[in-house]
Amino acid sequence: MTIIFLFACFFFLLLLNVPVSFAIGLSTFLYMLTAMDFLPAVTTVAQRMTNGVNTFALLAIPFFILSGQIMAQGGIAKRLINCAMALLGTLPGGLALVNVMSCVFFGALSGSAVAATSAIGSFMVPQMEKAGYDKAFSGAITATASTTGLLIPPSNILIVYAIASGGVSISALFLAGYIPGLLVAFALMLLCYLYAKRKGFTGATRLPFNVALIQIWKAVPSLALIVIAMGGIVSGIFTPTEAGAIAVVYALILAVGVYREVDLKALGNILTKTIETTSIVLFLIATSSALSWLLSYENIPQELSDVMLGISENPIVILLIINLILLVVGAFMDMTPAVLIFTPIFLPIATSLGVDPLQFGIMMVLNLSIGLCTPPVGNILFVSCAVAKTKMEQMIKPMLPLYAAMIIVLILVSAFPTISTALPNLLAP
């Protein structure tokens, strides 16, 4: 009954428009007051919040956030778009394919789906609209394609999952995200191709070979960041945290020294946004850590495990139930608190049935990525609506086949562990 009180407090605070991190912290504290006196409750919550962020691996998050902010304002987006146009622009539905590939490139570099939606969508959606594409479809494809950056490293949410899981290697998790992320991109591009064939959209005029080569070459320095960061991690030269610091230095060299599109004033704004974003993420981690400890203290994961295993001991059935729950959760809760709260609950159940923690992490992130594009709380959906200058209800119809494509990939990731574990088993240090 007291657990019902905990979640009732949490959702009541959300209905009052209290920020998620404060809702988590306050509901945890109020629950603690039902079990102990005021001073021990304050001390316990404070200790658990402090322990939650007292992890060296979390230093990677502000570094990758900063490098992503620099990339977003450093002239990277237009070079990636030009590169994608040179590679795919002449195919049927070339602009839509370029949109997807640009989101994959930019999302992988910035680690932010919101930044990819804004940076790529603000350029590609008007271009697609001029070519005759429906702006709702253009916004929908931008929103869904941007989620690939959450799976393809460097990805902050994969770091958060690694911390929440209590021992999964960040390096291995980064490698695990590549194939599922590219599968999502391929599925979306296939839909774009079929949409273009049905609507009769042709590709752009073929660029002269030397011009196309120049467009690709200009994007190489930006894309080299992925090779440098992941190459160093896989080879064991540096840790993910050190990779984040190197990514910041490299991004600064590109944006300030090479492309010269970030000046001192812009750098100040970038640092301010980085501090704001980092503060939000770390406070979420702190309060969610306190809540996770409380759920563990009350044996909620064990009780839920007994209930679910009472339904079936078939891993496929259990993963199906977990996926359905996460799809609902993702529609109402942001990704970071969802990962922090539900990883300690569902991961022990999955691992008890022989599911690899790497596979489960990728499954969870992919599942919650769908939630980011789903009303009523999908952040990326709101950003995409603003970029495309359209209403959410107009976006729903073109989103449906894109949801289906992402769910098919989710089913494949859930059913076939090799999709997630092949690269880590082959390359992880």
Side-chain angles (χ1 to χ4, degrees), residues 25-26 28-30 32 36 39-51 286-287 289-290 293:
L26 285 172
T28 302
F29 175 65
L30 291 172
M32 294 291 289
M36 59 185 69
L39 189 58
V42 171
T43 304
T44 302
V45 172
Q47 286 177 340
R48 297 303 163 183
M49 288 177 65
T50 302
N51 290 339
T287 54
S289 297
W293 174 85

Side-chain angles (χ1 to χ4, degrees), residues 84-135:
M85 185 66 76
L87 294 170
L88 299 174
T90 58
L91 297 175
L95 281 176
L97 300 178
V98 168
N99 193 338
V100 175
M101 179 171 276
S102 300
C103 287
V104 171
F105 284 161
F106 193 85
L109 287 171
S110 67
S112 170
V114 172
T117 303
S118 179
I120 302 301
S122 60
F123 180 85
M124 288 303 305
V125 171
Q127 294 297 317
M128 291 176 69
E129 191 177 356
K130 286 180 185 178
Y133 288 84
D134 180 67
K135 63 181 180 180

Side-chain angles (χ1 to χ4, degrees), residues 52 54-64 150-178 229-236 238-245 282 285 339 356-359 361-362 365 420 423-425 427-429:
N54 187 24
T55 305
F56 177 76
L58 285 178
L59 281 175
I61 291 179
F63 284 133
F64 283 124
L150 301 172
L151 291 165
I152 300 174
S155 169
N156 290 328
I157 195 63
L158 292 179
I159 298 173
V160 171
Y161 170 78
I163 301 300
S165 68
V168 175
S169 165
I170 296 175
S171 304
L173 202 56
F174 276 4
L175 289 168
Y178 273 109
M230 288 307 299
I233 292 172
V234 170
S235 63
F238 40 75
T239 65
T241 301
E242 292 165 344
L282 292 183
I285 292 173
V339 169
D356 193 296
L358 291 174
Q359 177 196 6
I362 299 302
V365 171
S420 303
L423 280 182
N425 290 340
L427 300 173

Side-chain angles (χ1 to χ4, degrees), residues 269-282:
N269 292 332
I270 288 170
L271 290 171
T272 301
K273 288 181 180 179
T274 300
I275 292 169
E276 290 174 354
T277 305
T278 302
S279 301
I280 293 169
V281 172
L282 292 183

Side-chain angles (χ1 to χ4, degrees), residues 24 44 56 72 98 116-117 121 142 175 214 268 306 310 330 393 396 400 412:
I24 293 171
T44 302
F56 177 76
V98 168
T117 303
T142 304
L175 289 168
I214 290 170
D306 292 340
E393 52 267 27
I396 298 302
L400 292 177
L412 292 175

Side-chain angles (χ1 to χ4, degrees), residues 206-376:
R206 185 179 297 276
L207 294 172
F209 180 75
N210 61 324
V211 175
L213 203 60
I214 290 170
Q215 300 284 40
I216 295 171
W217 178 251
K218 286 182 178 179
V220 168
S222 303
L223 295 173
L225 174 60
I226 301 175
V227 178
I228 293 170
M230 288 307 299
I233 292 172
V234 170
S235 63
I237 296 174
F238 40 75
T239 65
T241 301
E242 292 165 344
I246 290 169
V248 170
V249 174
Y250 186 81
L252 278 173
I253 292 171
L254 279 185
V256 179
V258 178
Y259 297 150
R260 299 186 179 181
E261 298 202 22
V262 172
D263 55 20
L264 289 178
K265 182 179 179 182
L267 194 57
N269 292 332
I270 288 170
L271 290 171
T272 301
K273 288 181 180 179
T274 300
I275 292 169
E276 290 174 354
T277 305
T278 302
S279 301
I280 293 169
V281 172
L282 292 183
F283 193 66
L284 266 172
I285 292 173
T287 54
S288 297
S289 297
L291 176 59
S292 297
W293 174 85
L294 177 59
L295 293 174
S296 178
Y297 179 77
E298 293 291 344
N299 291 320
I300 299 304
Q302 293 84 349
E303 292 177 8
L304 185 59
S305 176
D306 292 340
V307 171
M308 294 183 72
L309 292 176
I311 298 172
S312 174
E313 293 189 2
N314 187 322
I316 299 297
V317 174
I318 296 299
L319 287 180
L320 177 61
I321 295 171
I322 292 174
N323 272 318
L324 290 173
I325 293 172
L326 290 177
L327 282 172
V328 175
V329 167
F332 293 93
M333 186 181 291
D334 195 32
M335 180 177 282
T336 300
V339 169
L340 290 165
I341 292 171
F342 289 97
T343 296
I345 294 176
F346 289 139
L347 181 59
I349 300 173
T351 53
S352 69
L353 295 172
V355 177
D356 193 296
L358 291 174
Q359 177 196 6
F360 184 81
I362 299 302
M363 183 196 84
M364 173 176 266
V365 171
L366 174 54
N367 193 312
L368 295 173
S369 294
I370 299 172
L372 291 176
C373 306
T374 307

